[in-house]
Amino acid sequence: MRMKVEQIYTGCLAQGAYYIESWGEAAIIDPLREIQPYLDRAARSGAQIKYVLETHFHADFVSGHLDLAKATGARIVFGPNAQPAFTAHIATDGEELRLGDVTIKVLHTPGHTMESTTYLLKDESGNDYALFTGDTLFIGDVGRPDLAVKSDLTEAQLAGYLFDSLRNKIMPLPDEVLVYPAHGAGSACGKNMSKETFDTLGHQKQVNYALRADMSKEEFIQEVTTGLLPPPGYFPMNVKMNKEGYSSIDQVLRQGLQALSVEAFEAAANETGALVLDTRKPQDFAQGFIPNSIFIGIDGGFAPWAGTLIPDVQQPILFIADPGREEEVVTRLARVGFDHTLGYLQGGFAAWKAAGKDVDTITSIPATELADRFAQDKTIRIVDVRKPGEFAAEHLQTAGNTPLDYLHEHLHELPKAETLYIHCAGGYRSMIAASILKARGFNKLIDVQGGYKAIAETSIPRTSAVCPGTLQ
């Protein structure tokens, strides 16, 4: 087989882009913002990128379609109903695109959004080989139908469209067809995606709740719309950028990779109102940080958490990073639409401290010490910042749940006069929460290292474990 199909998976966004090649021609499906990996892949084969195929206007990341088309001359392709503000080919339902010896058939599958489209790859013999489903069908789940809600289109109506798309366009395909979705576990574009990143359609018909053969449309709508958490706040702006255009990634990198002295960094923060973002390790941050800076560590779900917790993608950002990771920070921020990074602190936090500037800290204790303190005082205030589903599955009996995702909306419920013991699952989200609370004037904060995983090894009473699959 001369056809090549490769999944290019980015774990921090739980996102899958795809490279298809046949006889020197290539197509890229749902590329990320930085295009060099796709250019490099095509160059290794001596292939020319002919198409950039978009399954829909993405909400959770900014696609690289514009930069990739500009760099290669490739044609950007969307499905029916798409109305981008730039030149693109709006394909018709059932249209076939030739790529070397293979064919890519356009299947309009509205429901997640009204322009949502899947691409069916047919091999050299014309056999159905693989389906690139975008956010229409995931492994173990389907796309959420609430992101494209408008005044004339309800969540239930979108779910109805999705039901029809799955039954009429996807489920009739052969069981051996491979399903390649745009996302896996960890993405906010679905509820309960599998950690697997591809499967056969036949197996999905057996195990995916949304593909049950005996399911009515009413049952589908009920199940798909139940338990949806509000989407992250940055989603609408990412859709707008994907639809209307954005700055070149090269321009964003040039601006964001300016090395600033301590004096220049401080002046820029004061003059621009920039958010100071610290991307180091949680415990490094706890031991010393610039007052009022916010921690979101690069070694974690960095970009999605930045998008969730920083309300405006237009927000100017200055950042602190471990040496050598500056470009990674700017790139990952740009993936979710933060194009106004103004530079980083040259020499990192060590330079700030050496300059004699004010430094703040957050107390962080091991889980065993929390257990000792709890044994002495059962009334201590424990704040669990995990997601509601994690909390419902199992938690400390005396803990309250304030999910990090919605921390801003619930600040008024937390008492500044009391000492707050903050934990998450492993210690990453709790430090983010502590940094936000510290910047908002909460001074009695104690982070619990290792999170619930470590706490569960202590004697602090916990609720009985509930299988997440039984939670609604």
Side-chain angles (χ1 to χ4, degrees), residues 102-431:
V102 303
T103 301
I104 299 172
K105 186 175 182 179
V106 177
L107 301 179
H108 185 212
T109 50
H112 174 65
T113 66
M114 289 307 292
E115 81 281 357
S116 284
T117 294
T118 60
Y119 295 100
L120 176 62
L121 175 63
K122 294 174 174 286
D123 65 18
E124 296 93 334
S125 301
N127 300 314
D128 296 340
Y129 177 77
L131 188 67
F132 302 88
T133 55
D135 288 18
T136 296
L137 174 62
F138 298 125
I139 306 306
D141 202 359
V142 290
R144 55 191 300 167
D146 61 329
L147 299 184
V149 171
K150 298 179 180 178
S151 58
D152 59 342
L153 207 58
T154 68
E155 181 180 291
Q157 287 173 317
L158 281 163
Y161 279 115
L162 183 57
F163 177 87
D164 292 337
S165 293
L166 292 167
R167 265 69 190 169
N168 299 333
K169 297 290 185 67
I170 292 178
M171 291 177 69
L173 295 172
D175 285 352
E176 61 270 20
V177 166
L178 295 171
V179 175
Y180 287 117
H183 295 290
S187 169
C189 293
K191 290 189 298 184
N192 192 34
M193 286 175 255
S194 168
K195 66 180 186 300
E196 303 300 329
T197 61
F198 70 95
D199 197 3
T200 63
L201 180 58
H203 188 247
Q204 280 303 292
K205 289 177 186 177
Q206 295 173 22
V207 301
N208 191 321
Y209 76 96
L211 302 186
R212 292 201 311 268
D214 62 349
M215 192 182 220
S216 70
K217 180 180 284 192
E218 291 70 25
E219 289 172 331
F220 177 89
I221 293 171
Q222 176 66 27
E223 293 194 36
V224 166
T225 58
T226 296
L228 286 173
L229 295 173
Y234 73 100
F235 273 24
M237 185 55 69
N238 276 203
V239 171
K240 180 180 174 67
M241 293 175 72
N242 282 319
K243 190 173 184 178
E244 297 181 3
Y246 47 75
S247 300
S248 162
I249 187 65
D250 293 335
Q251 180 181 333
V252 174
L253 286 169
R254 278 195 300 273
Q255 176 178 273
L257 291 176
Q258 296 184 83
L260 303 175
S261 67
V262 170
E263 293 74 19
F265 188 91
E266 190 172 31
N270 292 332
E271 292 168 7
T272 65
L275 172 72
V276 178
L277 186 62
D278 195 315
T279 66
R280 297 174 295 152
K281 294 176 175 59
Q283 290 305 310
D284 290 345
F285 179 84
Q287 292 166 19
F289 57 90
I290 297 173
N292 296 316
S293 61
I294 300 300
F295 167 79
I296 306 179
I298 193 70
D299 291 322
F302 174 69
W305 279 119
T308 298
L309 297 169
I310 303 173
D312 183 6
V313 296
Q314 302 297 325
Q315 168 71 50
I317 294 173
L318 294 161
F319 70 95
I320 298 97
D322 288 323
R325 305 195 72 177
E326 296 86 2
E327 184 171 345
E328 182 182 359
V329 170
V330 179
T331 299
R332 288 173 66 176
L333 285 171
R335 285 177 182 167
V336 291
F338 290 94
D339 285 2
H340 298 285
T341 307
L342 305 180
Y344 65 92
L345 180 58
Q346 189 171 28
F349 178 72
W352 181 271
K353 189 174 181 180
K357 298 293 184 180
D358 288 343
V359 171
D360 210 341
T361 61
I362 287 174
T363 301
S364 186
I365 64 172
T368 51
E369 186 170 340
L370 175 67
D372 291 341
R373 297 189 186 191
F374 181 83
Q376 295 171 16
D377 181 2
K378 302 291 193 297
T379 67
I380 62 174
R381 187 71 172 253
I382 300 175
V383 181
D384 185 333
V385 299
R386 295 177 299 161
K387 294 180 182 294
E390 295 173 276
F391 183 81
E394 187 177 336
H395 61 267
L396 299 180
Q397 289 181 2
T398 62
N401 186 214
T402 305
L404 177 59
D405 311 52
Y406 314 114
L407 182 62
H408 291 297
E409 293 89 337
H410 296 281
L411 287 175
H412 64 283
E413 299 171 6
L414 298 174
K416 288 185 177 180
E418 287 187 51
T419 298
L420 305 179
Y421 292 82
I422 305 169
H423 81 82
C424 58
Y428 177 80
R429 286 174 286 177
S430 61
M431 191 61 69

